[in-house]
Structure formats: C-alpha cells, structure tokens
Amino acid sequence: MTGTRAYHHGDLRRALLAAALEAIEEVGPGALSLRDLARRAGVSHAAPAHHFGDKAGLLTALAAQGFDLLAQTLSEARDDLLGAGVAYVDFAVRHRAHFEVMFRPELYRTDDAEVVTAQGRARAALRAGVAALPTRGTPADPDRDSLAAWSIAHGFATLWLAGALPDRVGEDPREAARAVLRRLVT
Amino acid sequence: MTGTRAYHHGDLRRALLAAALEAIEEVGPGALSLRDLARRAGVSHAAPAHHFGDKAGLLTALAAQGFDLLAQTLSEARDDLLGAGVAYVDFAVRHRAHFEVMFRPELYRTDDAEVVTAQGRARAALRAGVAALPTRGTPADPDRDSLAAWSIAHGFATLWLAGALPDRVGEDPREAARAVLRRLVT
DNA sequence: GATCCTATCTTGCCATTGACAAGATGCCCC
DNA sequence: GGGGCATCTTGTCAATGGCAAGATAGGATC
C-alpha cells in the first residue's frame, strides 16, 4: 500500500512524478530523461510510457499539479498585493521544478483538460490576491492592475531563478521580492 | 565572399547562427538539433562542432550576440522608464530566439568572456534607460527602482512569449506593455 | 611554381534517448 | 481456479550529440 512494492510497483505513477521533480531541479526540464526516471524508480525503461504515454504526457501531469499547487498557495496568502506577490515568488523558488515546467508551453499539452482547469483556479486565485492596486488619478482598471502585479512578481521570480539578479539583492527571495513589489504598491 | 560557396563553405559560422535562430523560433532552444542546423546549411553533421565545439558553444555565441543586441536596442530607446521598458519587451518579441536563450543559463556557458562583457553592456544600458523612477515619500533607491522596472518589463515579456496572457491584452505587445508599465511610473 | 601547413569540412562510429511492439506477470473478480 | 485486465519487461529502431580519423582547399613560404 504505502510501501515500495515489487514487480507491480504499486505507486509507480507517483514515484515517477517525484523522481521527475528531483531530476528537473538538477538538470532542468529540457534535459529530463524518461529512462533516467525509470532507473531512479527501479523499473524498466519503458514503464513510464504506460502511465504517461510520452514525455510531454509526464510534463503535462506536472504542469497541472503545479498550477493546482500555485492556486492553493495563493489562496492561503495574505489578501493584498504584497502578500500575494511575495507568495508567488516564494512558490517559484520553493517549487522551482513545477514553476519551470508550467511556463514552458512547448514542453507539454496546454490544452489538456486538467491543465486548463488548474490554470483557471490559479488565475482566479491570482486575481483575488492582487485585488486592486491603490490608484492615483488615473481611473482604476483592475485588468491592467492585476496584469502589472503579475508581471512584476513573475519577472522577479524568473530573473531570480535564472540567476540573473545582481548579488546585492541578497539571499532571501521573500525579502528581496517584498522590497521590489513595494515600488508598485506605494 | 557573400555567396553560398561549396566545400569550404566560406561563411559557415554565420550561416549556422542564422539557421539556429530560425530553428529556435520554430521549436525552441531546447529542441535545437545540431544535425538539423547542418542540414539547413548543407554541410555534414559534424561541421558545426568545428566552429562551436558543442551545442552549448553555439548557444553561448547566440547568447553573447543577444546581449549585445539588447544593449544596442536599449541605448537607442527613449531615456525614461516607459521608453526603455517598451523597448525591452519589443526586443523580446522581435528577437524571441535570442531572448529565450539569454535567460536560460543551463543551456550555455555563462562564464564565457564574450557573454560576460556583453551582459555588462546590457546591464549598463538597462540602468541608464530606467534612470530613476519618480519616488513619492520613500527615499529614492536607484537599485530597487531599476530592479522593479526590470522585473515588470521582463515579467511581461516572458508571459507574453509563453502565451500565458489573456487574449484581452490585444495583439500589439508595445501598446500592451506601455499600459502595464505605466502602473509603475504613474 | 612546387611544397608544406593549417583551418575547414567529411566519413565513420558509439552511447544515449524517445517511442513503439510484443510478450510476461500478477492481481481482482466471478 | 480460471479469465480478464492493468501493469511492467524485453527487444528493437531511428535520431541525436560527441569523438576520432581522414580528406580537401587555399594560402604562405621557399
């Protein structure tokens, strides 16, 4: 049941997804090898195909999982721009593998049903989180506002993950993100 | 000289880089195949190795080229946040292949000398472009300001390229970017 | 003008990978 | 206890990246 079973592995699908997350953290989603995952799980090289069809199938499952996780994370965050933005960046750093797959549509099937619904959940949570920026002068436009908030959080997260930011931003992504996001909210 | 010559191709290095840009626009940098490039250029499958060593070598050359191009683009843009930001997004869309390689450090050698100097140029142009945001109340912090500007432009560009933005943002990346960036500058 | 010399490109090869086909294994349910 | 089915294995193929060894050309040197 819970254990690591023999021949009929018992939980191979979950084991492969977990192994995939590990592998992606090490080499990135592009260099992911199904055969390597099979080795990590101790099964034959063709076993993954049964559960996911092909590599895109596996990454599709990961993407759906990732969007669900993001939706959950955002809905638990503080209900303002700063809280949601920091939570977004934190998610990207802590769930790097998921995040990197989610925003690389060429790697998976974006029209997959589970992906689409999970994406919808994440999108809704995002909009609820950033609510509305305090607007000055210009008439409020919630669409533009949430787009701006999403952009700055996503950009910071992406640059952080790419290692493109100067050392001076420090070691703590949450703290650094808060300082940057504050520029939008002040 | 200019033409497409036989055996000793004459301009193979350049031809391969051009072919790589084409191929990356079609299938992304991850699915790039050296053998496919060789076929496009009409040479044998091992010819690229002579000029670039390996795949990472070719992508390193592309990354350096990309950072130089970005530096040039930014230095020609209007000298405020809106102008620089729009130019940044426009660069990402028009030079998608370069842009996608530049911010995927696992694909190339980030410690390459040409890459490092080109990166420096781009960084300087970026800082000059965003200059300083108008600050209200809080004491000015140019580092944080330019980081915020970079983040929002980079985030918007990345989301645009990933096709993650809702249809409602429209077809023109420059116009859409301007609307979003204005939230930071207003 | 002949000869070397080196950058450039080719041919041949090997290990790895993704994908597919066919077969083996074990569990569940009647 | 026997059929049926999901699960996993073995075997194979084409494509790829990378390496080694060789062929070719174009210029430099004498």
Side-chain angles (χ1 to χ4, degrees), chain B residues 9-140:
Chain B
H9 182 289
D11 210 9
L12 183 57
R13 185 186 160 93
R14 198 181 311 270
L16 287 172
L17 288 175
L21 290 177
E22 264 187 42
I24 291 172
E25 300 239 346
E26 295 168 13
V27 299
L32 186 66
S33 154
L34 288 182
R35 289 169 111 103
D36 177 52
L37 297 187
R39 281 189 292 267
R40 288 178 194 237
V43 294
S44 84
H45 66 84
H50 178 72
H51 290 276
F52 300 104
D54 56 5
K55 183 146 67 163
L58 189 145
L59 292 174
T60 300
L62 271 190
Q65 205 177 73
F67 280 114
D68 263 335
L69 213 51
L70 176 61
Q72 187 184 335
T73 301
L74 288 178
S75 68
E76 290 168 358
R78 243 179 50 238
D79 203 31
D80 60 355
L81 178 119
L82 221 50
V86 170
Y88 189 96
V89 172
D90 193 53
F91 172 87
V93 173
R94 297 167 72 99
H95 302 277
R96 175 182 193 128
H98 277 122
F99 190 81
E100 287 189 335
V101 173
M102 289 157 63
F103 293 99
R104 240 179 259 184
E106 76 275 15
L107 291 180
Y108 65 96
R109 283 181 267 278
T110 51
D111 57 347
D112 175 84
E114 292 196 33
V115 166
V116 171
T117 68
Q119 254 172 353
R121 270 194 283 271
R123 207 177 284 272
L126 193 62
R127 298 190 122 253
V130 303
L133 289 176
T135 65
R136 287 165 303 271
T138 49

Side-chain angles (χ1 to χ4, degrees), chain A residues 88-108:
Chain A
Y88 189 96
V89 173
D90 193 53
F91 172 86
V93 174
R94 297 166 73 99
H95 301 277
R96 175 182 194 129
H98 277 122
F99 189 81
E100 287 188 336
V101 172
M102 287 156 65
F103 293 98
R104 239 177 260 184
E106 77 274 16
L107 292 181
Y108 65 96

Side-chain angles (χ1 to χ4, degrees), chain A residues 16-133:
Chain A
L16 287 172
L17 288 175
L21 291 177
E22 265 187 41
I24 292 172
E25 300 238 347
E26 293 168 15
V27 299
L32 186 67
S33 154
L34 288 182
R35 288 170 110 102
D36 178 52
L37 297 188
R39 281 189 291 267
R40 289 178 194 237
V43 294
S44 86
H45 64 86
H50 178 70
H51 291 276
F52 301 103
D54 56 5
K55 183 144 73 162
L58 188 145
L59 292 173
T60 301
L62 272 190
Q65 203 177 72
F67 280 114
D68 262 335
L69 213 51
L70 175 61
Q72 187 183 336
T73 301
L74 289 178
S75 68
E76 290 169 357
R78 245 179 47 236
D79 203 31
D80 59 354
L81 178 118
L82 221 50
V86 170
Y88 189 96
V89 173
D90 193 53
F91 172 86
V93 174
R94 297 166 73 99
H95 301 277
R96 175 182 194 129
H98 277 122
F99 189 81
E100 287 188 336
V101 172
M102 287 156 65
F103 293 98
R104 239 177 260 184
E106 77 274 16
L107 292 181
Y108 65 96
R109 285 183 265 277
T110 51
D111 57 347
D112 174 84
E114 292 197 33
V115 166
V116 170
T117 66
Q119 254 172 353
R121 269 194 283 271
R123 206 178 284 273
L126 193 63
R127 298 190 125 255
V130 303
L133 288 176

